[in-house]
């Protein structure tokens, strides 16, 4: 299994250092990949890792990259992601990634080095109170104060991170604790008197929910990230198809229901489809499944599905009735609850309702006008057609992120990964790296804007060093596009600090030692995509020079209601600046 | 509410709640709970913490205020903290409560006896005395302690230390004193 320096093959018979116990514990947890960055406080741990072949360590180029990579790995695999960093600046560099994982309920365990116990509080070299700093952004965190507590703490950390509503857990490891010795005995079970997540839904509530469903005329399933975290895509499909209920998903729910199914309506919310938002507005029953009524989804909460009865399935009691009062709350795991619910629901007569929605899809599809310049919508639509939905799309934050949600038809769970709750620019590249280690079978595509890519661009080097075969697509519109869009629409077009220059991304890719291509005109898109998809033994960078001032529609402005929904303006469908009308065509896409 | 503690005025359907929390004695547990109130902007009128019959567990008693939905969130958020073992809103149950105050009051020869009389009425004790001050120890319900403070205020309160409310669910449903 591992090579032992002292030749003693039974690890249980001898004393081990904290560092060795740490490594053993990870192996016991089934961890086979760690993203990290060494330093003085963890040098002993890195020494213990050095001989271990069961765990692959990926040296990122920044600790933020390590945490996003752990998130991406977790999102793509369903397993917990692990990051390891040093004390002080190493630890503080993880903060954004931890906050990101907290907002999006991603199970990761972050191990930070710490100065020796007796130095804590002394402003010692590279000391930071990372447990204090991350307290509000972790599900839980620990400072290990005794080497005998190390293995049980690691066991508990993984348990807490992955059960209930998942989330990040941080374990702070003082240097002296990791150097002192103890017998290694990895606990088989976790016993916590203070933590006991509900898995099974309450039978009475499930019966009540079934009664509401069986009476509904215009039901809508509103499905969120909890369904994917619960691995409940099959159960969801079974329920929707049996009861004939149309499905809309949140940004994090994308992939939980196949978007080529006639019941699919795509994403709802601020940049959701016209028909999903309209259906939610007119529905008489809204069934929220592992979704948390985020304000990007509800807009003005008082007007959100105002006429509808509401059922809410969520494993976290505090998510229920937080933003919107519901009629039937069910606390439990989506998979368990849907299984219990399925036999109780009937096949509903929703023919008219589905017919109405079908008509809305025909009348109000997602649209854009394609000309000789490249529009991001087109690139994303082409990626969808080429891969047939068999790819992992890891988007960054901004306009391209919304178009990635709209113009790709997600078929499988865990094929759409993005930063939704915190909206962290710089997420995509490192998260795609992590995802790539979980999915060797299908292409993993990092999709960033010209702004976001420059926030973690150092990870080009990691991709090259480990030959990580991801496609790094950069949508270069020369702007912080999403902010520019808001300035155009709501701040009288006063473009303040949103225009930005970029390096020559192709040359940059080459400088890092990786293939780079560029498409400037629409007719070059297919060619560069073909070239990019032909490279499978390492990373490839493609820059798309896209239309500069493009806007994401539909849009429900923040805090507004369905009534204020703005669809693609007619004048935009007629002409785009600088285009030759003869070559233009209107492209459409409807989910379902 | 006593005018001596700084809490924004109650609005709407805000109501005072006494929440009792059993929490594991683990590193950072107290900060997690106090931090939660700060991070979410919940009010704290008072907060006490001390040992219980179980040496792995402490009891925190928090007096807070808010409308029903805020209190519902506070309860859920407290339950969500990994270290909490049990969270009870005593407001909906009958409970016994005590607050303790040490009140250092300015005295002149002609006011000392009046102060001592007031203390006696409230069954409070004089625990320290000097030519210019007496220190009164008052124990009772929060209301009772508020009342004695109000009575002593005109004499000039030099210093005041108060524990805040501790509370337990009442088992006997009659009056015991
Ligand atoms: C620029 C930008 C624009 C955006 N626009 C939109 C938009 O138009 N539409 C949109 O939908 N989002 C949008 N978002 C994302 C938005 O901010 C939220 O992140 C997202 O809507 C939340 O998704 P969710 O409700 O699925 O919850 P998640 O954050 O995925 O949370 C999952 C929920 O499921 C619960 N859960 C977890 N595990 C389980 C389980 N096993 N069983 C039961 N329940 C479980 C959790 O307790 C939680 O309540 C945007 C983000 C950005 C950055
Ligand atoms: C770290 C961080 N800083 C700032 C923001 C605010 N913000 C949201 S979208 C956006 C613009 C993103 O620009 P770009 O990456 O070029 O993508 P585009 O919108 O142009 O597709 C900004 C600045 C953010 N989400 N994250
Ligand atoms: Mg941009």
């Amino acid at each position: 299994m591992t090579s032992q320096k002292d030749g003693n093959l039974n690890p249980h018979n001898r004393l081990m250092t904290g560092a060795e116990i740490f490594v053993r514990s990870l192996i016991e947890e089934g961890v086979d990949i760690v993203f990290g960055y060494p330093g003085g406080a963890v040098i002993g741990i890195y020494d213990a890792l050095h001989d271990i072949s069961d765990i692959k360590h990926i040296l990122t180029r920044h600790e933020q990259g390590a945490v996003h990579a752990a998130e991406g790995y977790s999102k793509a695999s369903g397993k917990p992601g692990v990051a390891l960093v040093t004390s002080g600046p190493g630890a503080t560099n993880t903060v954004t990634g931890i906050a990101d994982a907290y907002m999006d309920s991603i199970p990761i365990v972050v191990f930070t080095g710490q100065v020796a116990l007796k130095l804590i509080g002394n402003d010692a070299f590279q000391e930071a109170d990372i447990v204090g700093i991350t307290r509000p952004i972790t599900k839980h965190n620990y400072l290990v104060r005794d080497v005998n507590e190390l293995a049980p703490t690691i066991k508990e950390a993984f348990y807490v991170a992955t059960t209930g509503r998942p989330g990040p857990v941080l374990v702070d490891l003082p240097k002296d604790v990791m150097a002192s010795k103890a017998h290694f005995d990895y606990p088989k079970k976790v016993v916590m008197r203070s933590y006991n997540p509900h898995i099974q839904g309450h039978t009475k509530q499930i019966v009540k929910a079934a009664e509401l469903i069986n009476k509904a005329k215009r039901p809508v399933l509103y499905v969120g990230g909890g369904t994917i975290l619960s691995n409940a895509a099959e159960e969801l499909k079974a329920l929707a198809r049996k009861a004939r209920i149309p499905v809309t998903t949140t940004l994090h729910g994308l992939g939980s229901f196949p978007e080529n199914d006639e019941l699919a309506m795509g994403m709802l919310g601020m940049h959701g489809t016209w028909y999903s938002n309209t259906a939610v507005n007119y529905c008489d029953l809204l069934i929220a499944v592992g979704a948390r009524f985020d304000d990007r989804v509800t807009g003005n909460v008082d007007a959100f599905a105002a006429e509808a009865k509401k059922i809410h399935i969520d494993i976290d009691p505090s998510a229920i009735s937080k933003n919107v009062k519901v009629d039937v709350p069910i606390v439990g795991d989506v998979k368990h609850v849907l299984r219990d619910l399925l036999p109780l629901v009937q096949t509903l007569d929703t023919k008219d309702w589905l017919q109405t929605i079908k008509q809305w899809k025909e009348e109000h599809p997602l649209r854009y006008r394609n000309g000789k310049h490249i529009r991001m919508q087109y690139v994303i639509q082409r990626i969808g057609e080429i891969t047939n939905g068999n790819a992992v799309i890891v988007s960054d934050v901004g306009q391209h992120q919304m178009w990635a949600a709209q113009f790709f038809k997600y078929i499988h769970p865990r094929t759409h990964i993005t930063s939704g709750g915190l909206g962290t620019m710089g997420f995509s590249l490192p998260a795609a790296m992590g995802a790539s280690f979980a999915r060797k079978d299908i292409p993993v595509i990092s999709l960033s804007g010209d702004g976001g890519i420059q926030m973690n661009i150092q990870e080009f080097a990691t991709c090259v060093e480990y030959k990580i075969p991801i496609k790094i697509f950069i949508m270069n519109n020369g702007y912080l596009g999403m902010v520019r869009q808001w300035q155009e629409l709501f701040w009288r077009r006063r473009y303040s600090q949103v225009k930005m220059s970029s390096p020559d991304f192709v040359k940059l890719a080459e400088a890092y030692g990786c293939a780079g291509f560029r498409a400037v005109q629409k007719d070059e898109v297919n060619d560069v995509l073909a070239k990019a998809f032909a490279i499978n033994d390492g990373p490839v960078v493609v820059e798309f020079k896209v239309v500069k001032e493009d806007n994401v529609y539909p849009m429900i402005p923040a805090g507004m209601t369905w009534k204020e929904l703005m669809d693609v303006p007619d004048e935009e469908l007629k002409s785009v600046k600088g285009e030759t009308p003869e070559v233009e065509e209107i492209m459409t896409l409807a989910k379902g | 509410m006593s005018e001596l503690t700084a809490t924004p005025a109650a609005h709407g359907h805000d109501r005072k709640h006494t929440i009792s929390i059993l929490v594991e004695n683990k590193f950072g547990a107290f900060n997690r709970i106090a931090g939660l109130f700060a991070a979410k902007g919940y009010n704290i009128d008072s907060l006490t913490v001390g040992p219980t019959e179980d040496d792995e567990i402490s009891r925190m008693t928090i007096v807070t205020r808010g409308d029903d939905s805020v209190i519902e969130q506070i309860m859920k958020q407290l339950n969500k903290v990994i270290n909490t073992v049990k969270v009870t809103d005593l407001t909906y149950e009958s409970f016994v409560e005590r607050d303790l105050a040490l009140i250092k009051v300015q005295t002149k020869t002609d006011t000392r006896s009046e102060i001592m009389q007031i203390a006696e009425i409230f069954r409070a004790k004089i625990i320290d005395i000097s030519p210019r001050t007496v220190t009164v120890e008052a124990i009772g319900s929060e209301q009772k302690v508020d009342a004695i403070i109000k009575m002593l205020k005109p004499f000039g309160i030099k210093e005041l230390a108060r524990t805040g409310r501790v509370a337990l669910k009442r088992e006997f449903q009659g009056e015991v004193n």
Side-chain angles (χ1 to χ4, degrees):
Chain A
M1 204 162 90
T2 54
S3 59
Q4 295 285 326
K5 274 189 241 163
D6 60 4
N8 183 344
L9 289 178
N10 186 348
H12 296 281
N13 287 340
R14 63 180 182 94
L15 287 170
M16 289 189 196
T17 63
E20 288 172 289
I21 291 174
F22 169 81
V23 171
R24 289 269 159 203
S25 301
L26 292 192
I27 293 171
E28 291 284 335
E29 281 298 328
V31 173
D32 49 20
I33 189 159
V34 170
F35 303 91
Y37 211 101
V42 287
I43 202 159
I45 296 176
Y46 273 88
D47 185 67
L49 265 178
H50 190 55
D51 297 325
I52 302 293
S53 52
D54 302 69
I55 300 177
K56 190 176 172 69
H57 182 278
I58 303 299
L59 178 70
T60 56
R61 296 307 190 261
H62 189 296
E63 289 87 352
Q64 185 185 353
V67 180
H68 290 324
E71 293 184 273
Y73 175 79
S74 175
K75 279 264 215 181
S77 68
K79 298 202 298 189
V82 178
L84 170 63
V85 304
T86 192
S87 67
T92 55
N93 271 349
T94 65
V95 168
T96 301
I98 292 172
D100 190 85
Y102 187 65
M103 292 292 278
D104 286 346
S105 305
I106 306 176
I108 58 169
V109 182
V110 176
F111 294 96
T112 48
Q114 182 55 279
V115 299
L117 277 178
K118 61 176 187 307
L119 293 178
I120 290 182
N122 272 8
D123 297 336
F125 177 63
Q126 295 199 326
E127 181 190 354
D129 174 15
I130 197 65
V131 170
I133 290 170
T134 59
R135 195 169 286 130
I137 52 168
T138 48
K139 181 170 174 189
H140 199 52
N141 61 18
Y142 302 87
L143 169 70
V144 180
R145 287 192 292 184
D146 177 345
V147 67
N148 292 297
E149 285 170 17
L150 180 59
T153 303
I154 294 175
K155 177 87 190 171
E156 201 175 292
F158 279 93
Y159 176 70
V160 170
T162 53
T163 52
R165 179 175 184 166
V169 173
L170 180 138
V171 185
D172 204 19
L173 306 169
K175 192 169 179 177
D176 51 343
V177 171
M178 301 312 277
S180 37
K181 291 189 172 181
H183 281 286
F184 176 62
D185 190 10
Y186 203 65
K188 300 270 168 307
K189 275 206 334 239
V190 178
V191 202
M192 290 174 74
R193 60 194 285 193
S194 56
Y195 173 69
N196 230 327
H198 294 271
I199 302 298
Q200 217 72 40
H202 200 296
T203 311
K204 236 170 71 191
Q205 295 299 91
I206 293 175
V207 169
K208 271 199 218 160
E211 283 167 5
L212 279 187
I213 293 173
N214 290 337
K215 280 200 312 226
K217 301 259 173 315
R218 298 182 309 278
V220 166
L221 277 157
Y222 149 47
V223 178
T227 306
I228 291 171
L229 289 163
S230 167
N231 294 313
E234 287 308 316
E235 286 75 7
L236 172 68
K237 245 187 286 183
L239 177 71
R241 287 177 182 167
K242 178 178 179 188
R244 307 286 305 148
I245 303 176
V247 181
T248 180
T249 73
T250 67
L251 184 65
H252 284 319
L254 290 169
S256 60
F257 191 77
E259 294 198 313
N260 53 7
D261 189 296
E262 55 167 348
L263 294 170
M265 299 190 289
M267 185 171 78
L268 81 167
M270 179 178 277
H271 291 298
T273 58
W274 192 96
Y275 36 90
S276 64
N277 283 317
T278 305
V280 166
N281 185 64
Y282 285 111
C283 72
D284 66 351
L285 176 67
L286 187 74
I287 311 158
V289 186
R292 57 183 176 81
F293 292 86
D294 184 80
D295 57 74
R296 297 275 115 149
V297 167
T298 60
N300 178 346
V301 287
D302 298 328
F304 179 69
E307 302 301 313
K309 291 259 187 242
K310 298 177 189 79
I311 298 168
H312 190 182
I313 305 168
D314 202 296
I315 202 158
D316 177 3
S318 77
I320 287 174
S321 292
K322 184 172 65 179
N323 304 331
V324 172
K325 280 266 168 247
V326 297
D327 301 279
V328 181
I330 306 175
V331 176
D333 171 56
V334 168
K335 196 181 189 86
H336 287 79
V337 173
L338 291 188
R339 273 189 188 163
D340 292 347
L341 192 56
L342 185 66
L344 307 181
V345 301
Q346 298 154 7
T347 299
L348 308 180
D349 179 14
T350 48
K351 216 159 80 233
D352 292 350
W353 177 227
L354 293 175
Q355 185 53 41
T356 306
I357 292 170
K358 188 162 174 241
Q359 198 178 331
W360 286 339
K361 287 181 186 174
E362 283 159 15
E363 289 165 5
H364 301 273
L366 295 159
R367 282 172 301 176
Y368 60 96
R369 176 174 279 262
N370 224 9
K372 98 178 175 293
H373 300 303
I374 306 174
R375 299 189 73 163
M376 293 195 221
Q377 298 91 313
Y378 174 70
V379 177
I380 291 158
Q381 200 173 0
R382 283 301 300 144
I383 296 170
E385 287 159 6
I386 292 168
T387 61
N388 214 353
N390 292 307
V392 181
I393 304 292
V394 188
S395 61
D396 211 72
V397 173
Q399 293 186 310
H400 65 280
Q401 176 190 33
M402 292 297 109
W403 282 315
Q406 294 178 340
F407 284 92
F408 188 96
K409 285 195 180 183
Y410 297 92
I411 315 290
H412 310 289
R414 303 192 181 281
T415 56
H416 176 260
I417 298 174
T418 198
S419 166
L422 198 66
T424 310
M425 285 171 69
F427 172 85
S428 167
L429 174 57
M433 286 172 6
S436 172
F437 288 99
R439 294 302 298 260
K440 307 276 184 212
D441 52 331
I442 51 176
V444 174
I445 297 165
S446 159
L447 207 67
S448 296
D450 45 334
I453 191 70
Q454 294 188 71
M455 285 209 177
N456 271 316
I457 201 157
Q458 75 285 347
E459 301 304 335
F460 274 10
T462 315
C463 294
V464 170
E465 176 169 341
Y466 295 96
K467 299 193 165 58
I468 301 174
I470 56 173
K471 326 274 170 236
I472 302 165
F473 292 166
I474 303 168
M475 303 291 171
N476 187 353
N477 54 9
Y479 277 108
L480 298 172
M482 186 55 98
V483 180
R484 188 209 54 75
Q485 173 169 347
W486 283 49
Q487 289 180 346
E488 176 186 333
L489 298 178
F490 312 118
W491 297 85
R492 291 178 291 126
R493 226 180 237 279
R494 286 159 55 85
Y495 289 169
S496 176
Q497 302 299 321
V498 287
K499 196 171 174 64
M500 71 186 293
S501 66
S502 291
D504 181 329
F505 289 115
V506 174
K507 275 196 188 148
L508 192 68
E510 283 162 3
Y512 274 103
C514 127
F517 306 110
R518 175 181 293 119
V520 179
Q521 302 271 309
K522 191 194 79 188
D523 56 15
E524 297 165 351
V525 168
N526 283 325
D527 183 43
V528 295
L529 284 176
K531 281 188 191 148
F533 279 104
I535 297 177
N536 293 306
D537 56 354
V540 49
V541 172
V542 183
E543 178 190 19
F544 296 90
K545 289 265 195 202
V546 299
V547 171
K548 286 188 183 338
E549 296 184 40
D550 205 349
N551 288 338
V552 183
Y553 295 109
M555 177 174 197
I556 301 176
M560 302 266 188
T561 71
W562 167 84
K563 287 198 192 76
E564 282 89 17
L565 185 146
M566 302 151 68
D567 205 350
V568 187
D570 284 346
E571 71 268 25
E572 178 143 346
L573 285 173
K574 281 189 202 112
S575 75
V576 161
K577 240 195 269 171
E579 287 289 4
T580 346
E582 306 83 72
V583 300
E584 289 184 284
E585 55 178 329
I586 290 177
M587 310 287 283
T588 63
L589 182 137
K591 300 269 167 124
Chain B
M1 183 62 224
S2 127
E3 51 224 290
L4 292 167
T5 36
T7 308
H11 54 78
H13 308 287
D14 277 13
R15 179 169 172 196
K16 198 173 213 170
H17 286 249
T18 302
I19 298 171
S20 178
I21 307 157
L22 292 176
V23 55
E24 290 178 310
N25 290 328
K26 292 220 167 136
F27 176 79
F30 174 80
N31 285 329
R32 243 171 228 120
I33 291 171
L36 178 75
F37 276 75
K40 308 255 174 198
Y42 305 142
N43 286 312
I44 299 185
D45 283 7
S46 73
L47 185 161
T48 67
V49 58
T52 63
E53 71 288 353
D54 179 340
D55 55 17
E56 288 180 8
I57 302 284
S58 297
R59 181 185 301 278
M60 290 176 79
T61 309
I62 297 183
V63 180
T64 182
R65 53 182 58 234
D67 63 24
D68 289 351
S69 67
V70 169
I71 298 296
E72 183 181 336
Q73 262 306 307
I74 291 178
M75 294 297 288
K76 286 174 169 175
Q77 292 293 339
L78 285 170
N79 271 303
K80 198 168 159 176
V81 173
I82 303 285
N83 296 125
T84 56
V85 178
K86 190 161 189 238
V87 186
T88 321
D89 186 350
L90 292 172
T91 317
Y92 298 112
E93 312 196 20
S94 153
F95 63 99
V96 288
E97 54 146 327
R98 285 296 177 266
D99 190 356
L100 181 152
L102 302 179
I103 313 156
K104 193 180 283 177
V105 191
Q106 275 168 350
T107 55
K108 300 191 194 99
T109 24
D110 59 335
T111 58
R112 185 174 294 142
S113 63
E114 200 181 333
I115 291 169
M116 289 167 86
Q117 252 176 6
I118 291 172
E120 201 171 314
I121 292 166
F122 283 94
R123 291 196 220 160
K125 280 195 236 160
I126 306 297
I127 56 170
D128 185 28
I129 190 155
S130 76
R132 288 207 194 89
T133 65
V134 290
T135 302
V136 178
E137 171 204 280
I139 301 177
S141 68
E142 210 173 73
Q143 263 180 325
K144 172 175 158 183
V145 175
D146 285 349
I148 185 170
I149 291 171
K150 200 168 169 197
M151 290 303 292
L152 293 174
K153 208 171 175 191
F155 302 96
I157 293 177
K158 280 193 75 171
E159 280 183 289
L160 174 73
R162 210 170 156 171
T163 58
R165 183 184 284 184
V166 292
L168 287 178
K169 181 174 170 245
R170 186 193 284 281
E171 298 294 334
F172 183 72
Q173 295 302 328
E175 242 336 280
V176 187
N177 216 338

